[in-house]
């Protein structure tokens, strides 16, 4: 039979890539109004140091997602304000990148008011690449802020996800040796589970999977006002 793509509110088909409006400045940020805009953002790294605002609820298309700022050599360094709108649908994690999440690697950037309310598929993470997994951000590093973000999706890892190391509901983990990290008023209600046995280094948490010792001991870092009500279970080191 024929395959159709559905057009939503005149903003393009669900599989389209559509350039966003705005100029990327603090006064006139890029406006993310559809999944087509979000997909365009994920493909244009030259914009990843600029300002973005989400202006509508967005639904992912259930295909493999390329994180915005997938690794430390090409991180997201800008500011993204979800403005309280939701991102839903099925986010299919890719095994190609170091980090899994809407955003991959956050360096000296800010992500706020982002709410993931969909499902997460980790079945594609079968390689020795992806280590940090979070619904909103895979890895947060120096001089970065994640605030007022939430996740309601369950994250379930199977025996095939054998290289995953840090998994959190909102953030996968911090990079090693970092300072000046702020995680403020984030919420996780999703359950996080794994059946990977014998992995003593595996770390999971409701808000963040691993919070580095340097960030923990740094007076300029802040971890405050966060709440987890999801069930965290499985092998390795587990926290709320």
């Amino acid at each position: 039979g024929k395959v159709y793509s559905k057009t939503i509110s005149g903003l393009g088909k669900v599989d389209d890539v559509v350039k966003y409006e705005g100029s990327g400045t603090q006064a006139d940020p890029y406006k993310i109004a559809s999944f087509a805009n979000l997909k365009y953002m994920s493909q244009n790294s030259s914009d990843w140091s600029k300002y973005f605002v989400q202006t509508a609820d967005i639904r992912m298309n259930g295909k493999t997602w390329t994180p915005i700022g997938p690794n430390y050599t090409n991180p997201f360094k800008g500011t993204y304000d979800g403005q309280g709108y939701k991102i839903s649908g099925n986010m299919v994690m890719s095994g190609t990148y170091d980090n899994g999440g809407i955003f991959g690697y956050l360096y000296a950037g800010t992500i706020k008011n982002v709410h993931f309310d969909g499902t997460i598929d980790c079945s594609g993470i079968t390689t020795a690449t992806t280590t940090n997994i979070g619904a909103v951000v895979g890895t947060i590093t120096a001089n970065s802020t994640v605030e007022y973000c939430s996740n309601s999706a369950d994250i379930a890892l199977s025996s095939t996800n054998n290289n995953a190391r840090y998994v959190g509901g909102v953030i996968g983990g911090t990079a090693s040796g970092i300072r000046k990290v702020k995680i403020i008023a984030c919420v996780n209600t999703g359950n996080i589970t794994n059946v990977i046995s014998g992995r003593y280094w595996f770390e999971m948490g409701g808000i963040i999977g691993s919070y580095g010792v340097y960030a923990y001991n740094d007076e300029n870092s802040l971890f405050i006002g966060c709440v987890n009500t999801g069930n965290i279970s499985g092998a390795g080191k587990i926290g709320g």
Side-chain angles (χ1 to χ4, degrees):
K2 296 182 179 179
V3 178
Y4 296 89
S5 293
K6 182 180 180 182
T7 301
I8 301 175
S9 304
L11 296 171
K13 300 175 182 177
V14 293
D15 292 330
D16 283 348
V17 177
V18 178
K19 186 175 181 179
Y20 26 69
E21 297 179 353
S23 58
T25 64
Q26 188 171 8
D28 182 31
Y30 291 130
K31 296 167 182 64
I32 306 299
S34 66
F35 179 69
N37 289 157
L38 193 68
K39 191 172 180 181
Y40 180 87
M41 181 182 176
S42 75
Q43 296 176 2
N44 287 271
S45 59
S46 60
D47 291 342
W48 290 349
S49 61
K50 299 181 180 179
Y51 289 86
F52 298 82
V53 293
Q54 189 173 325
T55 61
D57 290 337
I58 292 173
R59 186 173 182 84
M60 290 187 154
N61 65 355
K63 296 184 178 180
T64 301
W65 172 247
T66 300
I68 298 165
N71 51 42
Y72 75 94
T73 60
N74 203 10
F76 180 73
K77 299 185 288 185
T79 296
Y80 187 98
D81 186 352
Q83 299 197 123
Y85 290 104
K86 294 180 180 179
I87 298 177
S88 62
N90 186 23
M91 179 163 53
V92 181
M93 298 285 189
S94 170
T96 306
Y97 306 99
D98 299 338
N99 304 280
I102 300 170
F103 295 86
Y105 199 94
L106 180 64
Y107 177 75
T110 297
I111 298 173
K112 57 186 177 181
N113 304 311
V114 172
H115 305 294
F116 186 73
D117 190 34
T119 57
I120 295 176
D121 181 353
C122 294
S123 61
I125 302 175
T126 58
T127 67
T129 302
T130 306
T131 58
N132 292 15
I133 300 170
V136 179
V137 189
T139 299
I140 179 174
T141 188
N143 301 293
S144 294
T145 299
V146 176
E147 58 184 356
Y148 304 104
C149 294
S150 70
N151 168 59
S152 64
D154 294 344
I155 302 177
L157 300 179
S158 70
S159 58
T160 60
N161 309 131
N162 56 15
N163 198 58
R165 181 161 184 168
Y166 306 132
V167 180
V170 178
I171 306 166
T174 59
S176 61
I178 64 156
R179 301 182 187 276
K180 298 182 181 179
V181 172
K182 295 180 180 179
I183 303 171
I184 302 169
C186 292
V187 176
N188 175 66
T189 59
N191 299 322
I192 303 174
T193 59
N194 80 78
V195 295
I196 306 172
S197 61
R199 304 282 177 170
Y200 64 88
W201 62 83
F202 195 96
E203 299 179 25
M204 296 191 302
I207 302 300
I208 186 168
S210 176
Y211 192 65
V213 64
Y214 289 98
Y216 182 79
N217 291 324
D218 177 21
E219 64 181 11
N220 294 310
S221 290
L222 186 65
F223 192 163
I224 190 170
C226 297
V227 177
N228 171 62
T229 60
N231 182 54
I232 317 298
S233 62
K237 303 172 183 177
I238 298 174

